[in-house]
Amino acid sequence: MRIIQILVALMPILLPLIFLVVLRMPAKKGMFLTFSIFVLSAFGVWGMGGDIVLASILQGVHKSITILWILFGAILLLKVMTHTGGVDIIKRGFSSVTKDMRVQAVIVGAFFVALIEGAAGFGTPAAVAGPFLVALGFNPLAAASIALIGDSSPVSFGAVGTPIIVGLGNIPGANPEFFDLIGRTVTRMDIVTATLLPTMIIMMLTKFFGKEKSFKAAFEILPWSLLVGATYSVSALLYSTFLGAEFVSILASLTGLVVSCYTAKKGIMMPKNREWKTEAVFEEETVIETNSPKKKNSAGGRVSFNENGTITLSESVSAKDIFSAWMPYVAVVIMLLITRIIPPVKKFVLTHADLSWRNILGEGVTSKWQILYSPGTVLAIAAIIALICLKGDGEALKKATKETLNSVINASVALCFTLAVVQIFSNSANSVMAIGMPNYLANILSSVFQGNWLAIAPFLGELGAFITGSATVSTLTFSPIQYQVANAVGINSTVVLAQQVIGGAAGNMICIHNVVAAAAVVGLTGEEGNIIRKTLPAAMFYAVVVGILGYVANWII
């Protein structure tokens, strides 16, 4: 019987891997099958009652709506930028910094992602950065994979330190000094993996999407990728040491952005070949077949008539156009920071237009949705700002809205099934078993791997994030068990808790509902398994390295 119970508890992990990754089903079908099998098992094996299962399903559907609202805002912003020419302006403006897509992947996929993570968190970075990368010319599959891998190291601190301050809030003796200690330990242990993160992004890009399908192009730019990676990781260590956990992601990402842009523009530690492109991208100049004379295009560039009957679109773009195109993204960061840092504003957006669903069916489960606080609202406002700044019209907004709704609707079914599975799993303590599946699995792992717990701890963090889609929820769920095991086997609990936080952050690369969301915003609904196959090696590598470093830290601290 115990074997059956273990298999049921593992279903939210094993079934998506089998259906999405091995059998390559689209998430809509794979998560429906996962949901169907898991619901029956929750009834028949775990002994969950009908009311708590139904309440969990409704909770999952409500949570999926909150995520779909974020997706709506992110996609709407991209579509408005596309139909008003803002995307073309940003693309050509970016070329003044670098034409090398390896560098662009790091600047956007690591540091811009980290900045959004520090401001908003909760899955927003991949939803914003994925479309941004597509706009720069990246293959949609590459864009989604880059955004997910990049949204890992900064997640340890998330939006104003939430994964640490909230995630570890139920540990005995938790207080500001304790949170700062964990934050410092996280940045010390994560210094290797955070430094390697830009290189991991580039290696994935060159191996799967380069013309040569090899790591050679990644090794060419290794000095630069290690330099900017170290800039982020070392600055994060300094910020956590002297300022605390709240602003590590924001400040370290800004530091990384400045250094990466400056060094790329100046060619510092860059290879001779500084115009590397993915397999699908050819000449940067767009040649348009036409007999028209010289004229100005809608994105602000110039098209020049050539002798062979073609015109070449130049990359020159005015500073005013660049400012107008970037203004919506600047507005996103500013609005996110204002609504999260300034107490009166934060109180207002949290208490007005509250669409939360509390005590669903009287079962004590709640799904929060303060719509003014949601990043989706911020992104939707930014889309209107884009329309104004880029002088768009009603027709552009109409087209953008129609395309956005189609994308969101395509993602909604898979997301609802995914979140329903997550909530049934999370609420499973309300059952005949009298123990939740997360704790049941953690107890089994701890009994089997006690002597090697430092190697297992980050994987438990990833496991939690993979299922729940949240590093904070992973740490809330598993940190008490991590703490108990550390004390029971005589290892440093600070190190183990730091491994839990880092593992939860790395799990962001592969968690199902993040992958579904990332696929939706780049137009790859149904290709979720392909995305996981690209991000899974990076996630596993991350956990292995943090496991090894755990032994070093336990010996030193």
Side-chain angles (χ1 to χ4, degrees):
M1 184 65 180
R2 191 184 185 199
I3 297 297
I4 296 175
Q5 291 165 350
I6 293 173
L7 288 175
V8 170
L10 285 172
M11 280 182 181
I13 307 161
L14 296 179
L15 293 180
L17 287 175
I18 292 171
F19 292 138
L20 272 63
V21 179
V22 178
L23 299 180
R24 305 195 176 199
M25 291 182 183
K28 183 188 299 186
K29 182 177 180 181
M31 292 313 299
F32 168 73
L33 291 174
T34 299
F35 168 79
S36 302
I37 296 170
F38 188 54
V39 166
L40 293 175
S41 301
F43 275 122
V45 177
W46 214 259
M48 294 181 69
D51 288 346
I52 186 62
V53 169
L54 180 57
S56 299
I57 293 171
L58 294 175
Q59 183 186 26
V61 171
H62 187 271
K63 283 181 177 290
S64 70
I65 294 172
T66 69
I67 295 171
L68 289 168
W69 176 238
I70 296 174
L71 297 187
F72 176 85
I75 299 172
L76 182 65
L77 176 56
L78 173 68
K79 296 300 183 181
V80 169
M81 293 285 289
T82 300
H83 289 300
T84 55
V87 163
D88 293 328
I89 295 172
I90 288 177
K91 186 174 181 179
R92 286 202 299 279
F94 219 102
S95 295
S96 66
V97 176
T98 177
K99 296 179 181 179
D100 195 315
M101 295 183 76
R102 296 168 299 186
V103 178
Q104 293 175 358
V106 171
I107 292 175
V108 178
F111 300 130
F112 182 66
V113 158
L115 180 62
I116 299 297
E117 177 64 40
F122 303 103
T124 310
V128 176
F132 197 113
L133 288 164
V134 171
L136 290 175
F138 283 82
N139 176 298
L141 182 57
S145 303
I146 290 167
L148 287 166
I149 293 174
D151 195 22
S152 51
S153 289
V155 177
S156 292
F157 295 92
V160 292
T162 299
I164 291 177
I165 296 171
V166 175
L168 296 175
N170 54 2
I171 297 297
N175 56 38
E177 290 75 20
F178 170 75
F179 298 140
D180 288 342
L181 172 62
I182 297 296
R184 291 193 298 272
T185 306
V186 165
T187 52
R188 289 170 184 169
M189 291 184 61
D190 199 28
I191 199 163
V192 173
T193 39
T195 297
L196 290 175
L197 185 62
T199 302
M200 291 163 60
I201 289 173
I202 294 172
M203 291 179 72
M204 186 280 298
L205 181 66
T206 60
K207 178 63 176 177
F208 293 114
F209 302 100
K211 295 176 184 178
E212 298 179 352
K213 297 290 191 298
S214 73
F215 296 126
K216 180 181 178 181
F219 294 142
E220 289 176 356
I221 202 170
L222 187 61
W224 180 84
S225 63
L226 291 176
L227 169 67
V228 297
T231 298
Y232 176 86
S233 62
V234 173
S235 65
L237 174 59
L238 294 174
Y239 294 134
S240 68
T241 300
F242 296 107
L243 299 178
E246 287 88 345
F247 301 105
V248 171
S249 292
I250 293 176
L251 295 177
S253 62
L254 286 172
T255 304
L257 271 172
V258 171
V259 172
S260 59
C261 288
Y262 179 80
T263 52
K265 189 174 181 65
K266 297 295 184 180
I268 298 172
M269 300 189 79
M270 295 282 289
K272 291 181 180 179
N273 173 21
R274 287 155 58 182
E275 295 192 8
W276 186 90
K277 299 177 179 66
T278 59
E279 183 180 31
V281 179
F282 301 100
E283 295 297 324
E284 191 68 26
E285 290 186 331
T286 303
V287 179
I288 307 173
E289 296 293 336
T290 182
N291 291 320
S292 302
K294 183 184 291 187
K295 62 181 180 179
K296 189 172 183 179
N297 82 324
S298 62
R302 291 285 178 179
V303 282
S304 305
F305 184 74
N306 297 324
E307 293 180 357
N308 60 3
T310 65
I311 57 173
T312 302
L313 180 64
S314 74
E315 294 171 1
S316 63
V317 60
S318 70
K320 181 182 178 181
D321 286 336
I322 291 177
F323 177 80
S324 297
W326 274 101
M327 190 60 215
Y329 289 102
V330 173
V332 167
V333 175
I334 292 173
M335 286 188 287
L336 287 172
L337 290 175
I338 288 174
T339 54
R340 281 143 178 82
I341 294 176
I342 300 177
V345 178
K346 183 176 182 178
K347 181 179 179 181
F348 178 85
V349 297
L350 283 174
T351 54
H352 291 75
D354 189 349
L355 301 181
S356 301
W357 193 357
R358 295 178 174 85
N359 195 26
I360 301 172
L361 300 184
E363 291 294 327
V365 297
T366 295
S367 177
K368 293 183 179 180
W369 188 20
Q370 291 97 348
I371 194 167
L372 296 181
Y373 187 75
S374 170
T377 302
V378 169
L379 291 164
I381 294 172
I384 302 302
I385 292 174
L387 194 71
I388 296 170
C389 289
L390 295 165
K391 300 179 180 178
D393 55 18
E395 187 63 27
L397 181 60
K398 182 179 178 181
K399 288 181 180 178
T401 303
K402 182 178 180 181
E403 292 170 5
T404 299
L405 287 173
N406 287 337
S407 297
V408 170
I409 290 170
N410 287 335
S412 61
V413 175
L415 208 53
C416 286
F417 286 131
T418 300
L419 269 296
V421 169
V422 168
Q423 298 312 134
I424 294 171
F425 179 82
S426 299
N427 299 329
S428 54
N430 191 343
S431 64
V432 172
M433 290 287 291
I435 183 174
M437 295 182 198
N439 288 347
Y440 185 80
L441 286 177
N443 288 337
I444 291 174
L445 289 172
S446 64
S447 65
V448 173
F449 295 104
Q450 280 191 14
N452 300 293
W453 191 249
L454 287 166
I456 299 301
F459 284 97
L460 186 59
E462 284 197 3
L463 177 70
F466 173 80
I467 299 172
T468 66
S470 168
T472 302
V473 174
S474 173
T475 299
L476 268 172
T477 303
F478 291 129
S479 60
I481 296 168
Q482 300 265 28
Y483 182 77
Q484 292 167 14
V485 173
N487 289 331
V489 300
I491 54 181
N492 192 311
S493 61
T494 300
V495 172
V496 173
L497 291 175
Q499 287 183 302
Q500 162 63 44
V501 171
I502 298 171
N508 247 34
M509 302 185 200
I510 53 176
C511 74
I512 298 297
H513 83 63
N514 273 6
V515 173
V516 171
V521 294
V522 299
L524 285 181
T525 298
E527 296 293 322
E528 294 82 5
N530 285 334
I531 295 173
I532 294 175
R533 277 191 290 275
K534 302 297 185 294
T535 60
L536 184 59
M540 294 299 99
F541 173 78
Y542 213 111
V544 169
V545 172
V546 173
I548 294 170
L549 292 175
Y551 288 98
V552 177
N554 187 61
W555 177 64
I556 294 175
I557 297 177

